[in-house]
Structures are given as structure tokens and as C-alpha cells.
Amino acid sequence: MNAVVLLCCFAALWAAADGQRMDISVMDPEFYCKRRPEIEFFRKQLPEDISEEEARAKCRHFYRCVGAGGSNRKLVMKNSCGYAMFFDIELQTCQVRTKVHNCVVWEKFQKAKPKWPLEPGEVNNCPGGEIECGSGECLSRSFFCDDKKDCADGSDENICNDPRTDPNAADKCNPRKCLWDEGCFCSVDGSRIPGELEPHQTPQMILITFTGAINEESMLVYQKIFSSTVKNKGNDCTAKGTFFVSNAFTNYSAVQELARKGHEIGSASVTNNNDKEYWSNLSSDDYQSEFDDGRMTIERFSNLTQGDIIGMRVPQGRVGGNQQFKMMVDWGFLYDSSLAAPRGNVPIWPYTLQHRMPHKCLGTDQNCPTRNFTVWEMVMNELDRRDDPFFSELLTGCHYIDQCANLIDPKQFRNFLETNLQHHYQTNRAPLGLHFTSAYFLTRKDFLREFSKWIADVSQRGDFFFVNMLQAINWMEAPIEIAALNSYPEWKLKCDPKGLPYCSLPNPCATKPPRPLAHEGRMYLHTCEDCPRVYPWLYDPYGEGPGGFDL
């Protein structure tokens, strides 16, 4: 989860524009800000002969460039980490002092970049609208971001993780061209309500998600959260959630029971690799192996119907750029829920990616999509974790609740939930996402009791609906007013399931672990289906073993 911590810290650093303004004689914007992205932080340049030990005296401080009015004016703003922290220039966030060893480095390593986008007043030296490579030659813009290095220095492929820099990026949102009957929904700033409804006509959807492996212990937690006695007042259906399942160590009979209860199952990859760079640089084929293979494993051993799993979330708070979303289109995934958005005055509604994202590409070196893709993005809005949103000092926000480190007691946790709910409800009623890792409540029993009580309370207020992500998309594709939701068929499916689990005694299949988990010795896969020969893994989603032979 370290990458998620970094993403959350980065979000707040990026959002904080209230630093100390640096005088131009001390830090000249012409030197520090030229061709530097606004989301990048840097240090004050130190003498070349300074030692790491000497540089640590300045290591708390970091800077960013901000607009100063007009198209080409910039200012340098100074911020500082807490007294026990240093700024890590490579990770672009504050870290514990003992973990930072790059205080002498003043800016993050930069790959070669072409002369694009042009700075205000900058002249294009290339003919006919061509773009100048970092190495000086001119190329047609069609060569840029096509997964082939055409510039001598490869700079044509180094601006492809942000729609603002990709010369061939999808167009900005045009609501007149983005039509419902063509499966498109966008808004310029992300605040538009589907169907042009007014806020008072719009249900406040609450999306509870868990990401990671599901086991017997976590199932006990989910049963308390999604109690059969707690129902949305507006339609008499039990609360529903979405579970993004990673394959290793998952109990598939538990997944089968969650699906029977009407919860949505999504894919969170086969390996759940904890290296953030792994997810940023995967090819489309490798994304297919991680997520479509993972989907096939879940469907087979949880006895789900093909097509039940249509959503995905990339681990470690990462995004896989155009390669990820190309895979999603090719392999029939309806939506992604990996992109994060900074907190604003109005939260952002989910959107389709036929147009550009309506928010910044947020995260440390994130690889965000830039092209046109016919998939939904169930964006994760940043949550406000301040004890008092009106008077408390600015704190780093969070997208996964696990990373709201200041939440230490149940009352504070409830206030946090209510503050963020009201921020959505009293503005444009964009769905409120409450995102947890699968193990969050295992060590927070008092938080679990408070969360369960809060759900029971909110569900009785009338305008609030605990739904899964697919139900939210169903509503957005055919929005109706609150008054008609009691009989809304898309939300009545598995409304209040009764009866016993399909399988109470799953097979504890003892299998040989995949090579990356060889230290486990033996692994047990619990399923109500037949046992696999080996543990299912990449390129072998059914666990058939080499060549399909018995081992």
C-alpha cells in the first residue's frame, strides 16, 4: 500500500497552493519553471560541491511553480514537510527523515522531452505543424505517442501519460457531441449530473468498495457491514458493495456467497504486485493476463457466469495509461476505478473516456489515459479527513480510507464519514466512494461497529442509497428521479436475497504455489468447484498445470 500512501500525499501537496511566495531575486521562475509541469515539485538548487549531510539542513523544503496571472507568468511557491520529515525528490512526497537520501538532488530526473507543448511566446522551428524532438529533428505529430520511438532520443514517447501533453490526445469534453445514445457521458469540469437532473431530484449514491483477497475472517466483517436487516429506505433493498478481488489467498466460496447476496465482484489482478512501476509500464497483453486471467479464475472457482465481472481496479493506486484501457476495450471491461481526482468545491461524477478526463492526472508519475476509449471511469474523489473542515488546518486527503492516518477513534471516524457525505449531498450529489482494502476493519473492531451503525442510520434518510458500482452505472445510463426509485428494476435485482449459501463446505484444495509465492510451501484454494491441479496464476487461469497434464 506504500504507493497509495504516496498518491494520497501527492494529491494534497499538489492541491496546496498556499505556500510562501519566493522573491524573483531568490528563485527566478524563468530558470525554475521553464517547461516544468505544474504538478512537479523541486528544491532550491544548491552548490555543486555540497555534501548530502550538509544538504539535509534544507531537505524539509520543497517548491512548485504556479500561475501568476497572464499566460506566461509564473511564481515559485515554497512549502515544507513536518519537522520529522524530509522531502523525497524522486517520490515527490514527504517521508520519514531516515528514508530520504537524495537531499543533494534539486530536481527529479527527467526523460528527454520534445519541444511540445510550446511555452507562451515560444516559436516552433519545424515546418507544417511538425514537432521538434528533444534531439532536434522534426517529425509529424502522428509519430508521437504511437508506442514506437521515432525521435533519436526517444522523446516522442515521453509525453504520453497526460492528455495535456499528448499531441494526439482525445478532444476536450463537448456535451453536444458526447451523446447518451452513443454511450458517452462527459462534462467540462466533471460536475454535471446525468440526465440534467437537479440535485434535489438526484439520489445520493454511496459506493462501498473493498480491494484485495477475500478470506473467512474478512467475510465476517462484510456480513456485519452489509447486514440483512439494514435496507435503503428508498427501495427496501439491502446495502450493496463492490469487491475488487485479487487472486492470491482468496477464498472463492466466499466470493460466490457475496455474489449471491447481490454484491458486485470486480478484478484486482492476479498477482497484486506491490511494485508501482510494474503497473505503470505493463503492455496491453500483460494487462490482459493480469485482469482477464484474474477474471476467468474468479468466474471458474466462484461459479460465476461469464460476463458477471466487468469492472477492474489496478493495485497500488496506479494506472496503466493507454495500454490498460486498450486492453479493457479489447476484452470487454465496462469500467475502471483506479483514477483519483483532487478534492474540489464540487466532487466529480464518473465519466466515459471518449473525451479527456475532467481533472488533472493525479499521482506520482502516473500513466493516465490520453486517447478515446469506450469505457467508464468510476473516479475516486479525494476525501477530506480534517476533524473540522471549516477551521482545521489543511491536511493531506485520501482516496483509500486506509491512508487517512489521523483517524484514531470511532467518533472521529463517524464525523469523517458524515463530513464527506454532506460535501457530496449538499453540492451535486456525485456518488460518494468509500474505498477500503480488504483487511481494513480486521484490526479496527471499534471502527467496524461505528461504520455499521452509520450505514444503518444513513440508509433510513430516504435520499441515500448504498449501491454497487454497476448499479451506479445503470442509473447514470438511464437516470430517473428519486421518487421513482422504489420500483427501479436495475436496483431490484437481488434486492433482498434470502436462503442459505449455495455451498457451506468448500473443498480446501491443497496446491503447489506459483513461483513468486514458492516460499508458501503449499497453498490452499477454497472453492465449491473441482480442485485445480496447481494454483491458478498468470497464463494459467484454471490451474491446469504445464501442458494440461496431471502433476
Side-chain angles (χ1 to χ4, degrees), residues 210-353:
F210 288 90
T211 304
I214 294 174
N215 55 36
E216 297 89 334
E217 191 175 11
S218 61
M219 272 297 288
L220 296 176
V221 169
Y222 306 147
Q223 288 169 358
K224 292 178 181 178
I225 291 174
F226 300 103
S227 170
S228 60
T229 62
V230 175
K231 300 178 182 178
N232 298 317
K233 183 178 180 181
N235 65 357
D236 295 319
C237 294
T238 55
K240 301 296 190 289
T242 298
F243 294 82
F244 295 100
V245 180
S246 56
N247 294 79
F249 307 107
T250 279
N251 182 321
Y252 292 96
S253 64
V255 175
Q256 183 175 357
E257 175 60 8
L258 288 170
R260 186 187 74 86
K261 289 289 189 70
H263 302 295
E264 183 192 4
I265 307 301
S267 177
S269 82
V270 173
T271 66
N272 197 26
N273 192 304
N274 62 10
D275 178 4
K276 65 185 181 70
E277 297 298 333
Y278 173 82
W279 299 108
S280 295
N281 300 316
L282 278 188
S283 68
S284 181
D285 288 343
D286 289 332
Y287 260 99
Q288 181 269 320
S289 298
E290 283 281 6
F291 289 91
D292 189 54
D293 282 6
R295 171 167 62 177
M296 293 168 66
T297 299
I298 298 168
E299 289 173 346
R300 164 66 69 86
F301 297 104
S302 302
N303 194 26
L304 302 183
T305 303
Q306 184 177 4
D308 282 350
I309 299 175
I310 55 178
M312 59 173 280
R313 174 174 288 164
V314 182
Q316 310 305 324
R318 304 308 293 175
V319 188
N322 295 329
Q323 295 295 321
Q324 172 195 335
F325 289 88
K326 178 180 182 300
M327 180 280 297
M328 293 180 65
V329 173
D330 291 345
W331 293 90
F333 282 92
L334 174 66
Y335 75 86
D336 169 73
S337 183
S338 306
L339 282 166
R343 178 180 165 84
N345 293 330
V346 178
I348 291 176
W349 273 86
Y351 50 87
T352 60
L353 279 166

Side-chain angles (χ1 to χ4, degrees), residues 373-392:
F373 299 102
T374 53
V375 296
W376 279 92
E377 180 56 45
M378 301 298 287
V379 62
M380 295 192 290
N381 283 291
E382 183 182 25
L383 300 172
D384 186 348
R385 64 186 179 96
R386 292 175 292 173
D387 291 334
D388 187 329
F390 296 102
F391 299 105
S392 296

Side-chain angles (χ1 to χ4, degrees), residues 449-525:
R449 288 190 292 271
E450 196 64 48
F451 192 45
S452 300
K453 289 190 290 185
W454 180 79
I455 292 173
D457 172 38
V458 173
S459 66
Q460 291 306 298
R461 298 182 189 175
D463 293 350
F464 301 84
F465 296 82
F466 291 91
V467 296
N468 60 44
M469 288 199 166
L470 180 56
Q471 289 177 318
I473 291 174
N474 288 336
W475 183 89
M476 289 187 290
E477 290 180 338
I480 64 172
E481 297 182 16
I482 294 174
L485 281 174
N486 187 52
S487 57
Y488 185 49
E490 300 293 348
W491 288 6
K492 282 294 186 178
L493 184 66
K494 297 184 179 179
C495 173
D496 185 17
K498 305 295 184 183
L500 298 174
Y502 293 138
C503 173
S504 300
L505 294 173
N507 299 317
C509 306
T511 62
K512 180 181 178 180
R515 184 174 298 176
L517 300 175
H519 60 278
E520 294 291 334
R522 298 291 278 179
M523 289 181 67
Y524 288 86
L525 184 150

Side-chain angles (χ1 to χ4, degrees), residues 169-230:
D171 294 333
K172 293 182 179 179
C173 174
N174 183 342
R176 290 175 295 180
K177 294 182 179 179
C178 181
L179 306 177
W180 280 110
D181 55 6
E182 297 177 3
C184 183
F185 175 70
C186 73
S187 58
V188 175
D189 62 357
S191 65
R192 175 187 172 201
I193 300 175
E196 313 301 337
L197 296 182
E198 295 296 325
H200 71 272
Q201 301 170 316
T202 306
Q204 178 59 67
M205 293 177 279
I206 304 171
L207 309 176
I208 299 174
T209 77
F210 288 90
T211 304
I214 294 174
N215 55 36
E216 297 89 334
E217 191 175 11
S218 61
M219 272 297 288
L220 296 176
V221 169
Y222 306 147
Q223 288 169 358
K224 292 178 181 178
I225 291 174
F226 300 103
S227 170
S228 60
T229 62
V230 175

Side-chain angles (χ1 to χ4, degrees), residues 56-254:
R56 293 178 77 81
K58 304 286 187 180
C59 209
R60 283 183 54 223
H61 309 303
F62 59 94
Y63 305 82
R64 66 174 288 226
C65 296
V66 299
S71 59
N72 58 356
R73 294 189 62 219
K74 294 286 181 70
L75 292 175
V76 176
M77 303 295 290
K78 177 182 178 180
N79 283 277
S80 301
C81 300
Y83 285 101
M85 311 284 278
F86 280 162
F87 187 76
D88 190 307
I89 199 69
E90 287 302 322
L91 296 180
Q92 293 278 287
T93 191
C94 296
Q95 286 271 57
V96 177
R97 292 186 178 202
T98 55
K99 294 184 178 181
V100 180
H101 306 286
N102 53 28
C103 295
V104 74
V105 181
W106 76 275
E107 65 176 340
K108 184 176 174 62
F109 171 77
Q110 296 290 331
K111 295 180 179 179
K113 299 288 179 65
K115 199 172 181 180
W116 179 272
L118 293 174
E119 294 281 324
E122 195 171 24
V123 177
N124 183 9
N125 297 318
C126 294
E130 293 183 348
I131 297 174
E132 183 179 346
C133 297
S135 43
E137 66 270 37
C138 295
L139 289 178
S140 167
R141 70 167 55 202
S142 64
F143 287 99
F144 286 75
C145 300
D146 62 354
D147 296 324
K148 299 175 184 177
K149 293 183 178 181
D150 298 293
C151 291
D153 59 0
S155 58
D156 55 308
E157 299 302 311
N158 292 339
I159 54 170
C160 308
N161 62 347
D162 190 324
R164 296 174 303 169
T165 58
D166 181 349
N168 302 297
D171 294 333
K172 293 182 179 179
C173 174
N174 183 342
R176 290 175 295 180
K177 294 182 179 179
C178 181
L179 306 177
W180 280 110
D181 55 6
E182 297 177 3
C184 183
F185 175 70
C186 73
S187 58
V188 175
D189 62 357
S191 65
R192 175 187 172 201
I193 300 175
E196 313 301 337
L197 296 182
E198 295 296 325
H200 71 272
Q201 301 170 316
T202 306
Q204 178 59 67
M205 293 177 279
I206 304 171
L207 309 176
I208 299 174
T209 77
F210 288 90
T211 304
I214 294 174
N215 55 36
E216 297 89 334
E217 191 175 11
S218 61
M219 272 297 288
L220 296 176
V221 169
Y222 306 147
Q223 288 169 358
K224 292 178 181 178
I225 291 174
F226 300 103
S227 170
S228 60
T229 62
V230 175
K231 300 178 182 178
N232 298 317
K233 183 178 180 181
N235 65 357
D236 295 319
C237 294
T238 55
K240 301 296 190 289
T242 298
F243 294 82
F244 295 100
V245 180
S246 56
N247 294 79
F249 307 107
T250 279
N251 182 321
Y252 292 96
S253 64

